[in-house]
Amino acid sequence: LKAGGAAGVCVDLILFPLDTVKTRLQSPQGFRKAGGFRGIYAGVPSTAIGSFPNAAAFFITYENVKSVLHHGSTSYLTPAMHMVAASLGEVVACLIRVPSEVVKQRAQVSPSSSTLRILSHTLYHEGIQGLYRGYKSTVLREIPFSLVQFPLWESLKDLWSWKQGHVVDSWQSAVCGAFAGGFAAAVTTPLDVAKTRIMLAKAGSSNASGNVLAALGGIWRTQGLSG
């Protein structure tokens, strides 16, 4: 819990400006209208509060499921075991991540509004359901991401450990994780764009329904492959 939570907080807070830029690039109004490079820490309170329990929930689930499935499993089933553990970890973590993500992304494209104001506005107009808008799209994005990232990360660590004759150091694990995460992010970017459009959509609009295929179709029609 402590290790996963601390890792999540460090990653989310250090890379927050990049996340803001990404959200504004993916927003339907475009980068400049969404705020450009102004207020790149807008929404950081939401991330600061949600990051620790979100990451802790993921890694607790991931490690426990992995240890349960490990008993009696053969080596060729190891990647599948990591996939199942990561997928279940994401389903649990998204229960915490999605409300935090909704508030954060709306704050990122409205830098003049405070996080608390956006939270109260969402609750007043959409209720708790509004905070969980995009849960399905987030899970549909996070599970493929984890299906690629975690088996690749574990495999690269095993390969590196075998090559050098001892368990990888933390910096080597980080290099493996960077490669695995970057590759997974590249593969799942379209799903990430759809998630952002759904979370930022106005209540009552077609994207607000949470239909990922409809959101992707709309992006394809208006912006093509580059979108």
Side-chain angles (χ1 to χ4, degrees):
L1 188 151
K2 290 178 182 177
V9 170
C10 288
V11 169
D12 288 343
L13 295 183
I14 290 169
L15 299 181
F16 193 86
L18 287 175
D19 188 64
T20 301
V21 169
K22 176 179 72 76
T23 298
R24 291 174 181 177
L25 285 167
Q26 292 177 345
S27 65
Q29 66 260 51
F31 180 69
R32 289 186 181 278
K33 288 185 179 179
F37 289 105
R38 291 185 300 107
I40 55 173
Y41 277 95
V44 76
S46 175
T47 295
I49 293 168
S51 184
F52 190 99
N54 160 47
F58 172 82
F59 282 106
I60 284 174
T61 307
Y62 177 72
E63 294 293 348
N64 277 291
V65 172
K66 198 168 69 168
S67 65
V68 169
L69 293 178
H70 184 72
H71 295 297
S73 64
T74 52
S75 58
Y76 69 89
L77 286 176
T78 299
M81 179 182 70
H82 293 150
M83 288 178 176
V84 172
S87 299
L88 290 174
E90 292 296 357
V91 170
V92 173
C94 281
L95 293 171
I96 300 167
R97 181 182 305 153
V98 171
S100 171
E101 188 81 359
V102 167
V103 174
K104 180 200 74 175
Q105 291 205 311
R106 292 179 182 182
Q108 286 173 329
V109 298
S110 305
S112 57
S113 299
S114 69
T115 301
L116 188 60
R117 184 178 175 185
I118 288 170
L119 174 62
S120 59
H121 182 272
T122 302
L123 286 172
Y124 181 78
H125 289 281
E126 300 179 65
I128 294 292
Q129 191 176 346
L131 289 177
Y132 277 94
R133 188 208 290 174
Y135 179 82
K136 286 186 294 183
S137 61
T138 304
V139 170
L140 283 173
R141 183 259 177 183
E142 296 294 352
I143 286 181
F145 186 96
S146 293
L147 289 181
V148 175
Q149 181 189 32
F150 280 91
L152 185 55
W153 177 54
E154 301 276 10
S155 298
L156 289 172
K157 286 194 300 177
D158 288 344
L159 180 61
W160 203 336
S161 298
W162 175 71
K163 285 277 188 183
Q164 66 186 5
H166 62 82
V167 176
V168 290
D169 298 324
S170 56
W171 72 267
Q172 293 171 325
S173 178
V175 170
C176 295
F179 180 82
F183 183 75
V187 171
T188 58
T189 291
L191 293 171
D192 192 50
V193 178
K195 173 188 75 71
T196 298
R197 296 293 174 92
I198 288 167
M199 286 183 171
L200 297 180
K202 292 182 179 179
S205 66
S206 58
N207 277 343
S209 66
N211 189 317
V212 177
L213 289 177
L216 287 170
I219 296 165
W220 177 264
R221 285 192 299 274
T222 56
Q223 295 176 272
L225 188 63
S226 63

